[in-house]
Amino acid sequence: MRWTRAAGRGLLVLLVVLTGYVALGTRAQEGPGDGRGPLTLATAGDLTGYLGPLLEGWNTTHPGEEVTLVELPDSADETHAQMVTDLRGGERSRFDVLNIDVNWTSEFAAAGWIRPLAPDRFPLGTFLPPVVDTATYDGRLYAVPYVTNAGLLLYRKDVLEEEGLPPPRTWAELERYAETVAPRHGLGGYAGQFLPYEGLTVNAAEAVYSAGGTILGDEGSRVTVDSAAAREGIGFLVRGVREGWIPREALTYKEEESKQAFQDGRLLFLRNWPYAYVGASAEGSRVAGRIGAVPLPGPEGPGTSVLGGSNLAVSTHARHPDTAARLIAYLTSEPVQRQVLTRGALPPVRADLYENPDLIREFPYLPTLRESVLAAAPRPRSPRYDQVSLAVQAVVHDAMTGHQTPEAAVRRLAHELDAIAR
């Protein structure tokens, strides 16, 4: 989750619009602690402060039901660890509402840490269809989509235009441009997020999916990674480092480091989330006005992005679950979702916002992002997702650093995932 600096102006207008909205979703939740009252909302670090003003809107119009924002570390891995530690505390938990990575829904639901939600309390029919599936587990709704995301290929439009080349649609084109065009312009070829952390799990899954493979099936109970497609996908990443069109420095990149390298003018191509497009287009970026975005390429054409984003869930031990559900309805309302995009540069879950002409003028990548989200696939779903992700990170990083062949890496990963599944 990444953000751009939120401005304070326009909040009064937002408050007026939303004052009438709070009538939605007023039925009491099941379980202990029914009723209304103050809450805490836990989230990964809000780097630009956009979320605080949105919650001020709620707090101003809901006396007695104020929300306190608890910001955890910016790193997804660290946020996950702190949330799990808190939720394991049972009734001593500090967190009522959790802004969780879409891939934690299954884990948290299977562990009994978050409560089922009534689908008719939320505007699920207005969302982009793939995002709703990320909020379900075992056929029930356990969270509500808040932000979606899909990986895009950012590229130096000025460089490709000078060379008379279209943006790459296949891995072969990407490799050729990264290997031949980039050095002529003093640039590194291609980078993603290749440090062994959650971002590498995403990049590896996208490579496997784009080649037509999968990693797990049946909610994590079946291992499917040992395939020719997985070997091709991991081989694409390994080959890039070995042949040099993926700079070795990229093996240390997370989202921010890779974004900085691109906006400093050091890369021809970058796989990242849409927030990186916004940052690279902003004042002070060395490539502002000279970049484009297309769907991720694959072996024969457009590839498959991992479906990113976050969902809002209610802790099993939330003090006031009815207020929690109404807060989630507020945060997924159309006016607030618009602010999520315009103030936070975060992709909203509301489908109609992707077709709004005014928003497309401000955020030109929206049609491409919509296309990528609709074609995206979730990360491997498993109640033991944290273990699955750690295994993927370790194995793929070893392969990219030359310690294993793609074939050996895939065999090892299948063995480790099989042990986790059992």
Side-chain angles (χ1 to χ4, degrees):
M1 293 177 280
R2 294 292 188 273
W3 337 91
T4 34
R5 176 66 56 187
R9 290 178 294 184
L11 283 175
L12 290 179
V13 174
L14 182 61
L15 296 181
V16 171
V17 171
L18 290 167
T19 300
Y21 179 78
V22 299
L24 285 179
T26 57
R27 294 192 307 280
Q29 292 279 320
E30 304 88 348
D34 291 341
R36 302 182 180 181
L39 301 170
T40 58
L41 168 62
T43 184
D46 180 358
L47 297 181
T48 58
Y50 98 98
L51 186 53
L54 290 187
L55 294 179
E56 287 175 16
W58 168 274
N59 289 342
T60 301
T61 55
H62 294 74
E65 297 179 280
E66 291 84 359
V67 178
T68 299
L69 180 64
V70 179
E71 292 190 48
L72 302 176
D74 178 48
S75 163
D77 295 343
E78 293 179 36
T79 292
H80 177 273
Q82 290 200 23
M83 283 187 177
V84 168
T85 298
D86 183 86
L87 290 167
R88 283 174 174 161
E91 294 181 358
R92 298 188 304 276
S93 172
R94 297 179 297 141
F95 306 150
D96 299 300
V97 179
L98 303 119
N99 188 20
I100 61 174
D101 185 286
V102 292
N103 234 60
W104 303 345
T105 303
S106 295
E107 176 191 356
F108 285 21
W113 296 331
I114 55 178
R115 62 176 63 208
L117 300 172
D120 60 352
R121 299 195 68 168
F122 310 102
L124 302 180
T126 68
F127 297 168
L128 291 167
V131 306
V132 179
D133 186 54
T134 70
T136 64
Y137 174 72
D138 199 23
R140 303 186 70 181
L141 186 74
Y142 276 89
V144 179
Y146 171 56
V147 168
T148 191
N149 230 335
L152 300 176
L153 181 71
L154 308 187
Y155 66 94
R156 286 286 299 277
K157 185 166 57 174
D158 58 330
V159 172
L160 294 191
E161 287 178 350
E162 182 179 335
E163 296 278 343
L165 296 170
R169 295 185 69 256
T170 67
W171 282 349
E173 291 175 346
L174 175 65
E175 291 183 36
R176 187 168 68 252
Y177 297 174
E179 196 168 23
T180 61
V181 174
R184 288 202 293 267
H185 295 264
L187 301 172
Y190 170 73
Q193 295 73 51
F194 301 138
L195 186 76
Y197 80 115
E198 185 63 22
L200 180 53
T201 301
V202 168
N203 280 253
E206 287 174 341
V208 171
Y209 295 168
S210 294
T214 57
I215 296 175
L216 293 176
D218 301 330
E219 294 284 356
S221 63
R222 186 165 56 91
V223 177
T224 58
V225 73
D226 194 357
S227 67
R231 289 186 285 275
E232 182 181 10
I234 302 306
F236 166 72
L237 298 176
V238 171
R239 188 167 63 251
V241 178
R242 186 180 67 238
E243 296 178 357
W245 48 267
I246 293 179
R248 291 198 68 85
E249 184 183 0
L251 296 172
T252 68
Y253 285 172
K254 296 193 290 186
E255 282 92 350
E256 276 296 298
E257 291 85 355
S258 62
K259 177 179 79 73
Q260 195 64 50
F262 184 75
Q263 71 183 46
D264 284 348
R266 292 186 274 132
L267 290 170
L268 180 58
F269 299 111
L270 171 67
R271 179 265 171 231
N272 210 322
W273 308 105
Y275 95 101
Y277 181 101
V278 177
S281 302
E283 184 178 354
S285 167
R286 295 182 183 177
V287 297
R290 295 186 285 157
I291 64 173
V294 293
L296 298 176
E300 305 298 333
T304 301
S305 169
V306 155
L307 188 64
S310 67
N311 296 333
L312 296 169
V314 180
S315 167
T316 301
H317 297 286
R319 294 169 295 166
H320 304 289
D322 185 63
T323 295
R326 291 187 308 111
L327 173 67
I328 293 174
Y330 165 93
L331 290 172
T332 53
S333 67
E334 196 276 344
V336 172
Q337 283 285 294
R338 184 182 290 260
Q339 299 294 318
V340 166
L341 173 63
T342 59
R343 295 178 182 278
L346 295 171
V349 294
R350 290 264 184 165
D352 59 340
L353 296 178
Y354 289 81
E355 299 175 355
N356 183 288
D358 293 334
L359 294 177
I360 291 173
R361 277 192 291 272
E362 187 175 356
F363 302 94
Y365 59 82
L366 282 180
T368 298
L369 177 58
R370 179 180 181 276
E371 178 185 348
S372 296
V373 169
L374 292 177
R379 273 163 284 172
R381 297 182 68 166
S382 169
R384 300 178 180 85
Y385 178 74
D386 57 334
Q387 298 176 48
V388 170
S389 182
L390 288 172
V392 172
Q393 296 164 31
V395 171
V396 175
H397 198 263
D398 275 356
M400 293 183 71
T401 52
H403 293 94
Q404 281 189 310
T405 65
E407 294 75 18
V410 168
R411 287 195 301 271
R412 173 186 159 198
L413 182 57
H415 176 76
E416 294 189 12
L417 294 180
D418 187 61
I420 294 169
R422 289 199 304 270

